[in-house]
Amino acid sequence: MEACPFCAVVADPARARVVHEDAHTVAFCPLTPATRGHTMVVPRVHSADIWQMGEEEVGHLMGSVLSVGRLLRAVLAPEGVNIINSAGRAATQTVFHTHVHLVPRYRGDPMGDFWPPREAPRDEAVPDGPAQRLRAACLSSRRP
């Protein structure tokens, strides 16, 4: 089994350009950033993706994302910020340790648009079908 590069950063923060650490997370700038200020936030405890984490763990992760993102916006003043979490190969996840990208966006940056064109074909004949099924599932899973 291949060693997890993000677990290596957690174990030895000197291996990366760490910008924030707390009891639950480490945030660092990747070696090949997508844009100026691109930062990644990872939980200290290994999980392959966000779906393997408990709600409390996700809360700590997102709290750090919010804190680091606010500082990133204050220091670099980007025109926008993408907050990206990919879970699974089909979602372009390549390192299987949960992580969140904070990608500052600037006019003309190399990220470009990543949403499909508005004319993209729909995956179902009835566009409201997925929304109806999701709403039914959410209603049935509500806690009393």
Side-chain angles (χ1 to χ4, degrees):
M1 187 168 133
E2 198 172 312
C4 174
F6 295 166
C7 283
V9 170
V10 168
D12 181 10
R15 298 172 61 106
R17 297 177 290 192
V18 172
V19 298
H20 168 81
E21 290 184 78
D22 63 27
H24 304 282
T25 62
V26 176
F28 58 94
C29 296
L31 295 175
T32 54
T35 64
R36 182 173 57 91
H38 176 186
T39 304
M40 299 172 62
V41 183
V42 303
R44 287 187 177 276
V45 176
H46 183 86
S47 62
D49 61 40
I50 201 165
W51 307 116
Q52 292 186 357
M53 298 176 70
E55 287 184 35
E56 187 173 342
E57 295 169 304
V58 172
H60 291 303
L61 176 63
M62 290 302 135
S64 290
V65 166
L66 195 58
S67 296
V68 172
R70 283 182 175 138
L71 292 171
L72 186 151
R73 290 177 67 223
V75 171
L76 299 177
E79 296 173 55
V81 177
N82 285 121
I83 300 171
I84 304 167
N85 169 259
S86 300
R89 287 190 197 285
T92 70
Q93 184 180 6
T94 57
V95 176
F96 290 88
H97 181 122
T98 304
H99 56 286
V100 177
H101 296 265
L102 290 161
V103 184
R105 298 303 305 270
Y106 309 92
R107 188 161 298 140
D109 69 34
M111 282 286 290
D113 292 335
F114 57 87
W115 290 106
R118 291 186 186 261
E119 303 82 36
R122 298 189 184 266
D123 64 344
E124 295 194 18
V126 180
D128 289 338
Q132 290 170 351
R133 290 197 314 273
L134 184 56
R135 178 174 169 73
C138 286
L139 289 172
S140 69
S141 69
R142 281 192 182 162
R143 297 176 189 165

